[in-house]
Amino acid sequence: FPAIPAQPTKADAARMLELFTGERGILKDFPFTDGPAEPKKLSLSVCLAMLLTSVCRRALRTAPMFAIDAYEAQSGKTLLGHIAGALSTGREIATRPWQTDEYQRKNDLAMALETGDPVLLYDNLGPTAPLTGDSFNLAITSPLMETRRLGSNSGIDKLVVQTNALLIGTGNHMVIGGDMAEG
């Protein structure tokens, strides 16, 4: 990437945007589509918001979880999540399975946050594995998460972790439910 000017202009910003969305940009081959009732280029805008969030997530009190949905397999959803991860960490990130049981989801999330993973990429959400649950709702609306450490029955062993990881979910025909659904 070229050097960033000390006082970037609007033209500088437009040139930088071209690195992502232009004819040779890193996003040029992704099949962004929007529904007929959605604003034009909404999907691309959300993608750019995810990429911008990826580089500053640790400094934000809270941030949304980004859902990358598609109508078919092999459309680049997980690769797009990996690009956000690489921007955040400078390296390849791991992909995690989405747990359909809330107890398992909570423990998996708490463990990942405790280890300090900066990006959590959950794959294969869909109609039978909806994006829902109190633990993830808490992680996107609160800077801290408190839970009981897995395997412990004592309040002494409670776990309090920062929720400042970038959360990404990918899947085909994703279903978002509970408090995480749009109101």
Side-chain angles (χ1 to χ4, degrees), residues 29-103:
D29 291 328
F30 287 93
F32 295 108
T33 57
D34 300 310
E38 295 174 331
K40 189 174 181 176
K41 296 197 176 186
L42 176 64
S43 297
L44 176 60
S45 297
V46 172
C47 174
L48 291 171
M50 177 181 68
L51 297 178
L52 288 170
T53 302
S54 74
V55 296
C56 66
R57 174 61 185 104
R58 294 292 206 193
L60 302 173
R61 185 175 185 277
T62 60
M65 180 172 184
F66 291 91
I68 305 170
D69 189 22
Y71 298 109
E72 59 189 48
Q74 303 297 312
S75 58
K77 302 171 299 297
T78 305
L79 177 59
L80 195 54
H82 279 282
I83 289 172
L87 282 174
S88 175
T89 66
R91 61 176 169 75
E92 185 77 16
I93 61 165
T95 305
R96 301 163 183 276
W98 181 254
Q99 303 295 331
T100 56
D101 175 72
E102 175 64 14
Y103 179 77

Side-chain angles (χ1 to χ4, degrees), residues 100-143:
T100 56
D101 175 72
E102 175 64 14
Y103 179 77
Q104 294 296 326
R105 254 194 320 270
K106 177 185 73 170
N107 289 323
D108 179 72
L109 177 61
M111 183 255 336
L113 293 173
E114 182 181 27
T115 62
D117 291 347
V119 180
L120 305 179
L121 175 57
Y122 292 92
D123 201 14
N124 294 324
L125 286 84
T128 59
L131 175 55
T132 188
D134 292 337
S135 55
F136 276 80
N137 186 46
L138 182 146
I140 63 174
T141 60
S142 176

